[in-house]
Amino acid sequence: MGRLAAFLYGTVAYVVFFLTFLYAVGFVGNVAVPKSIDSGAGGFSLAALVIDAVLLGLFAIQHSVMARPWFKRAWTRLVPEPVERSTYVLLASLCLILLFWQWRPMTAVVWDVHNSTGRSILQLLIWAGWLTVLASTFMVNHFDLFGLRQVTHFLRRVPYQPVGFVTPMLYRFVRHPIYLGFLIAFWATPTMTQGHLLFAIATTAYILLAIQFEEHDLISFFGDAYRQYKQHTPMLVPFSKR
């Protein structure tokens, strides 16, 4: 793949990701998008449960398997290494777009906060969660995480060096602030429906499982440095026991 083509491919993948991220904010929060997690009428049904579970599972499998080192080693025999991360990001975005498109709402209410102060607090928490997600990516290296740094270095003929082990800002308080932000955004809703609850439970289970795989890889990469970090820094809840 030519350098300019790789750069353009990576740029398109990043734009698709960022638009998908913005849509996800509206999808989960039921705001400003044509189809959200609770849009339309739909009660509980086995068909809806199965379809939604498959959509969530497809994203989880893609997002986790393609991030493993053994898969990357095999994958880069087919996909040029400079665009490997961009391809991962693009496929993850496409899985989410499929989920948004095919999601079956189950709108029976599990809980509904009527107190105006309580609703306002939960809505602020939703935005705080999404802001935590986005800000945490910039604390490490946003453009490396989503593939733009790799294709930019390739275009400029600059040798690519992976980002080293760093623990800035929020990473001093929890090991996985990105995941923490997602959990806050997914659970802090004033009105929880059956469909939203399925989404929250499934993504929480995936996050807790994905952390185990990620930390195994991080220990392999960084050795004692990450072991010490893990020993002294909580996983998701600040100031909790390690």
Side-chain angles (χ1 to χ4, degrees), residues 60-76 84-85 88 179 206 209-218 221:
I61 291 170
Q62 180 277 327
H63 200 258
S64 188
V65 171
M66 290 190 69
R68 303 282 67 80
W70 61 265
F71 186 92
K72 290 181 182 181
R73 287 191 294 270
W75 186 233
T76 49
E84 179 272 326
R85 187 67 184 181
Y88 171 81
Y179 285 149
Y206 167 69
L209 181 61
I211 285 173
Q212 307 310 310
F213 289 117
E214 287 183 18
E215 295 203 324
H216 177 272
D217 293 342
L218 288 167
F221 293 147

Side-chain angles (χ1 to χ4, degrees), residues 40-93:
F44 176 83
S45 71
L46 182 59
L49 178 64
V50 170
I51 290 171
D52 292 347
V54 168
L55 292 168
L56 288 162
L58 179 63
F59 171 78
I61 291 170
Q62 180 277 327
H63 200 258
S64 188
V65 171
M66 290 190 69
R68 303 282 67 80
W70 61 265
F71 186 92
K72 290 181 182 181
R73 287 191 294 270
W75 186 233
T76 49
R77 295 174 185 172
L78 302 174
V79 175
E81 191 167 348
V83 299
E84 179 272 326
R85 187 67 184 181
S86 294
T87 303
Y88 171 81
V89 168
L90 180 60
L91 291 176
S93 299

Side-chain angles (χ1 to χ4, degrees), residues 13 28 53 113 227:
V28 176
V113 177
R227 288 190 184 94

